[in-house]
């Protein structure tokens, strides 16, 4: 028998305010046409001024718990992937823990920027496999609108706010690829590339700072590294792109999503795409896409799903699971 981390529920939350590309045309030298054709983004959601990341995270968590038919007191660990926490500390995860009325277990944040959810999922898997936890909520939640430089057309049109969550539960499998749950993970980072995507503020500067990105450079790394990590994770299982029912990629740019799928030999009919509606929501983009993919009938129980992401650090990775 092999202990597996199996998905029991998924959910998401998007703030009410929807901002179309055309709204940027008044204040920036940009066009709806440029944003659509270069990134695939058509609109994004922005949180209300008084709405912190923990609020988005809690709402997504409640949706995932409802979907799982569970309540907060049945969860024994919460991992929140975020780079935009409410406060320097305590963690967003402990705020969610209190909101859900969960008095036992433990909660913490992980920060691997756009790859944060993949890192969170791999850590949740390790906690379950080791016997440290039975039921883990893994949440990706971001308010990137708070770290945008609204005068930088190369970045501020690309990002959005939102949150998504998964409930994982320990279950026994037979150790084969036909088990439900997380089957393989692959995590990577390379701090030599930290200057191509970063925030120019933080505690040591006593400012919040703004996101800075050399888009072309990040793009250059993205397709190659995403295809490589997916190949590595699938390779651990003796699988290839041909065995994949759904790729659920980080939603940064439709051209990166298409390029990665092509390199993996997977047709776009097997890729969940939400970038047009959400923009780049960093650590929230994969759980948002998983939730949308399940809600619209794409992802079904038993499907082989590959999630893959890259972001600041650089940090990148992938997880293969059977839904
Ligand atoms: O989630 C973390 C990972 N992040 C990513 O994966 C993002 C990766 N990068 C990208 O998605 C793309 O590089 C961008 C969408 C950011 C940019 O697309 P690009 O095709 O690489 O464009 P570019 O940066 O090479 O810019 C082309 C031109 C430039 O003008 P010049 O220098 O050729 O005259 C830019 O100044 O487009 C200009 N430009 C814009 N024009 C209109 C940049 N931003 C805009 C804009 N509207 N918003």
């Amino acid at each position: 028998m092999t202990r597996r981390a199996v998905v029991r529920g998924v959910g998401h939350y998007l703030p009410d305010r929807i901002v179309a590309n055309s709204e940027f045309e008044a204040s920036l030298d940009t066009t709806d046409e440029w944003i659509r054709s270069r990134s695939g983004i058509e609109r994004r959601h922005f949180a209300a001024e008084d709405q912190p990341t923990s609020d988005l995270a809690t709402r997504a968590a409640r949706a995932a718990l409802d979907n799982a038919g569970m309540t907060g007191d049945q969860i024994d660990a919460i991992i929140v992937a975020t780079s935009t926490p409410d406060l320097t500390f305590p963690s967003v995860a402990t705020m969610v823990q209190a909101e859900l009325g969960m008095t036992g277990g433990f909660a913490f944040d992980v920060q691997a920027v756009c790859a944060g959810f993949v890192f969170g999922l791999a850590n949740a898997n390790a906690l379950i496999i080791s016997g440290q936890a039975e039921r883990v909520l893994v949440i990706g939640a971001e308010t990137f609108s708070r770290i945008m430089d609204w005068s930088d057309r190369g970045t501020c049109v690309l990002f959005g706010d939102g949150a998504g969550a998964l409930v994982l539960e320990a279950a026994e499998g037979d150790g084969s690829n036909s088990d439900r749950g997380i089957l393989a993970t692959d995590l990577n980072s390379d701090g030599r590339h930290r200057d191509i995507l970063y925030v120019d503020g933080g505690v040591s500067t006593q400012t919040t700072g703004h996101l800075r990105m050399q888009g072309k450079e990040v793009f250059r790394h993205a397709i190659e590294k995403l295809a490589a990590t997916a190949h590595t994770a699938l390779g651990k299982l003796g699988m290839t792109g041909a065995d994949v029912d759904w790729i659920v990629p980080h939603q940064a740019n439709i051209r990166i999503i298409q390029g990665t799928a092509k390199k993996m030999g997977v047709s776009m009919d097997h890729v969940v795409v939400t970038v047009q509606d959400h923009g780049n929501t960093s650590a929230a983009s994969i759980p948002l896409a998983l939730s949308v993919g399940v809600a619209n009938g794409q992802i079904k129980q038993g499907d082989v799903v590959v999630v893959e992401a890259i972001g600041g650090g650089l940090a990148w990775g992938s997880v293969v699971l059977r839904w």
Side-chain angles (χ1 to χ4, degrees), residues 188-240:
N188 311 270
S189 55
D190 186 344
R192 289 174 302 173
H193 303 300
R194 64 189 180 278
D195 292 344
I196 63 174
L197 179 50
Y198 67 103
V199 171
D200 61 1
V203 177
S204 63
T205 66
Q206 298 189 40
T207 64
T208 304
H210 295 115
L211 182 145
R212 304 295 174 200
M213 178 168 74
Q214 294 173 33
K216 240 189 179 37
E217 276 301 297
V218 177
F219 194 104
R220 201 171 58 76
H221 285 282
I223 295 174
E224 181 204 320
K225 288 184 164 51
L226 289 171
T229 180
H231 180 74
T232 301
L234 286 166
K236 292 180 183 180
L237 303 164
M239 288 182 170
T240 68

Side-chain angles (χ1 to χ4, degrees), residues 84-237:
T84 47
D86 303 23
L87 303 171
T88 302
F89 73 79
S91 64
V92 172
T94 53
M95 296 177 184
V96 174
Q97 183 187 27
E99 286 297 319
L100 295 180
M102 177 183 151
T103 52
F106 58 98
F108 62 96
D109 290 357
V110 299
Q111 205 267 54
V113 203
C114 298
F117 189 78
V118 171
F119 278 60
L121 210 49
N123 275 280
N125 184 47
L127 290 171
I128 286 177
I129 287 175
S130 68
Q132 175 67 58
E134 294 297 316
R135 295 194 180 113
V136 185
L137 248 177
V138 190
I139 305 168
E142 302 279 17
T143 48
F144 261 50
S145 61
R146 303 253 152 72
I147 52 168
M148 291 296 110
D149 173 352
W150 299 111
S151 67
D152 177 9
R153 67 178 184 171
T155 55
C156 74
V157 302
L158 301 174
F159 292 88
D161 302 337
L166 280 192
V167 179
L168 295 174
E169 184 176 39
E172 294 296 338
D174 63 14
S176 76
N177 288 352
S178 51
D179 283 351
R180 286 190 66 203
I182 294 178
L183 300 175
T185 64
D186 178 59
L187 303 181
N188 311 270
S189 55
D190 186 344
R192 289 174 302 173
H193 303 300
R194 64 189 180 278
D195 292 344
I196 63 174
L197 179 50
Y198 67 103
V199 171
D200 61 1
V203 177
S204 63
T205 66
Q206 298 189 40
T207 64
T208 304
H210 295 115
L211 182 145
R212 304 295 174 200
M213 178 168 74
Q214 294 173 33
K216 240 189 179 37
E217 276 301 297
V218 177
F219 194 104
R220 201 171 58 76
H221 285 282
I223 295 174
E224 181 204 320
K225 288 184 164 51
L226 289 171
T229 180
H231 180 74
T232 301
L234 286 166
K236 292 180 183 180
L237 303 164

Side-chain angles (χ1 to χ4, degrees), residues 267-284:
S267 98
M268 284 301 288
D269 300 340
H270 293 269
V271 183
V272 176
V273 180
T274 56
V275 69
Q276 70 283 355
D277 295 325
H278 304 161
N280 182 346
T281 57
S282 192

